[in-house]
């Protein structure tokens, strides 16, 4: 459960260190003699980063975004520099940015290295699949953009909203075991373990990840699926991605899934992936929707 805002009193100092360490040496983040960010042309990499920029009211400074930045709808009108994990230096630099806000985990590393040497200011935004991690993202972005007061206000609002959503979720989903399935392509179940966004959102929603005994995403054996004994299967909506095996209730055609409590009663919840796993300003909304739908489906 998130505590009061004082719980994050040390975040500002950590944010300042993060910004100072991650801005490209030789090109200061702040314009000389002004004390304000020299960043009127900003590229946002990562859906949650883009959402935060919009939530801070600083979207007029954006000149481009990556392909995961699809909310709010206005972001779609910005040039797309590529998928955050498959970026090219040419794609990012083609829009002539003054500042690159990049979510941790973006890449590949070769591209990141080239961008750091390009002469363009760049700051990494840390990723953690927790409520505290969302607050830190907001504060980092606010610090980088020089709008700390706006970030403080947004962080306080989100902290309260997340705390309320978690309290409500606990009473709904306690004890509900959930199998998050990323893909069923090729008849194989690729499921989420610990250290994943799926594990994090289930924890916030008060539910139990049925496959938390490993880190990251893993293809499960039939025995592991049956042993997991999920009450509900959780998947992302994947409209138009061409992966037919994840459409409808096809996951329950898998013989091992069919033997689980979720499979026997065909209990499936599907949610918008960006909302569900984004860990940004809309995560409290995701917690409310997920906990309500899990409770309704499991009952």
């Amino acid at each position: 459960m998130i505590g009061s805002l004082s719980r994050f009193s040390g975040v500002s100092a950590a944010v300042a260190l993060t910004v100072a360490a991650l801005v490209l040496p030789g090109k200061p983040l702040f314009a000389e003699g002004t004390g304000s960010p020299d960043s009127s042309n900003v590229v946002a990499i990562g859906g949650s980063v883009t959402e935060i920029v919009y939530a801070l009211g600083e979207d007029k400074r954006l000149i481009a975004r990556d392909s995961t930045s699809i909310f709010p709808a206005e972001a779609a009108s910005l040039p797309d520099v590529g998928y955050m994990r498959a970026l090219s230096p040419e794609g990012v630099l083609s829009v002539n940015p003054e500042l690159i806000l990049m979510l941790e985990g973006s890449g590949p590393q070769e591209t990141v290295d080239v961008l750091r040497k390009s002469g363009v200011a760049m700051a990494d935004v840390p990723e953690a699949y927790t409520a505290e991690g969302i607050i830190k993202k907001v504060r980092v972005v606010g610090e980088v953009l020089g709008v700390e007061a706006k970030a403080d206000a947004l962080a306080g609002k989100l902290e309260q909203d997340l705390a309320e959503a978690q309290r409500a979720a606990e009473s709904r989903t306690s004890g509900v075991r959930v199998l998050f399935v990323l893909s069923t392509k090729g008849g194989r179940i690729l499921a989420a373990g610990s250290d994943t966004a799926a594990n994090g959102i289930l924890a916030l929603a008060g539910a139990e990840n049925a496959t938390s005994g490993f880190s990251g995403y893993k293809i499960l054996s039939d025995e592991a699926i049956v042993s997991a004994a999920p009450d509900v299967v959780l998947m992302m909506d994947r409209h138009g991605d061409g992966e037919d095996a994840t459409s409808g209730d096809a996951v329950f055609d898998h013989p091992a899934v069919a033997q689980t409590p979720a499979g026997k009663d065909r209990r499936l919840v599907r949610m918008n992936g960006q909302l569900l796993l984004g860990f940004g300003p809309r995560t409290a909304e995701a917690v409310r929707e997920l906990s309500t739908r899990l409770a309704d489906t499991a009952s």
Side-chain angles (χ1 to χ4, degrees), residues 4 11 27 52 82 106 116 165-166 200 218 237 266 268 275 295:
S4 65
V11 167
K27 183 176 176 77
I52 290 169
S106 300
R116 290 195 188 284
Q166 285 182 265
K218 179 180 177 181
D237 281 324
R266 303 180 76 84
L268 174 66
L275 172 64

Side-chain angles (χ1 to χ4, degrees), residues 123-206:
D124 284 346
V125 179
E127 178 76 288
Y129 304 125
T130 62
E132 293 86 351
I134 296 169
I135 301 302
K136 186 171 183 179
K137 278 188 196 179
V138 169
R139 294 193 181 281
V140 167
V141 173
E143 180 82 9
V144 171
L145 296 180
V147 290
E148 293 90 337
K150 286 184 176 181
D152 285 345
L154 179 59
K157 178 179 181 299
L158 293 180
E159 184 186 22
Q160 180 178 357
D161 203 18
L162 283 161
E164 291 174 354
Q166 285 182 265
R167 281 194 293 269
E170 283 181 346
S171 63
R172 298 185 188 117
T173 58
S174 178
V176 177
R177 293 175 59 81
V178 181
L179 173 66
F180 179 87
V181 176
L182 183 64
S183 170
T184 62
K185 198 168 185 177
R188 299 182 298 177
I189 300 296
L190 181 61
S194 61
D195 305 312
T196 61
N199 188 77
I201 196 66
L202 287 172
L204 289 181

Side-chain angles (χ1 to χ4, degrees), residues 204-235:
L204 289 181
E208 180 181 350
N209 183 359
T211 54
S212 60
F214 56 87
S215 179
Y217 291 90
K218 179 180 177 181
I219 294 175
L220 300 182
S221 67
D222 289 358
E223 292 79 7
I225 294 169
V226 174
S227 297
D231 300 303
V232 180
V233 172
L234 174 64
M235 299 180 72

Side-chain angles (χ1 to χ4, degrees), residues 39-66 69-81 95-102 125 141 144-145:
S39 53
S40 57
N41 296 324
V42 179
V43 174
I45 306 295
S48 61
V49 174
T50 301
E51 287 191 35
I52 290 169
V53 174
Y54 273 89
L56 290 171
E58 296 298 314
D59 48 287
K60 290 183 179 179
R61 297 160 73 171
L62 291 174
I63 58 169
R65 46 93 190 183
D66 78 305
S69 298
I70 57 177
F71 186 91
E74 301 92 292
S77 65
L78 294 169
D80 183 349
V81 298
V95 295
N96 298 314
E98 294 179 0
L99 171 66
I100 303 168
L101 283 173
M102 182 173 288
V125 179
V141 173
V144 171
L145 296 180

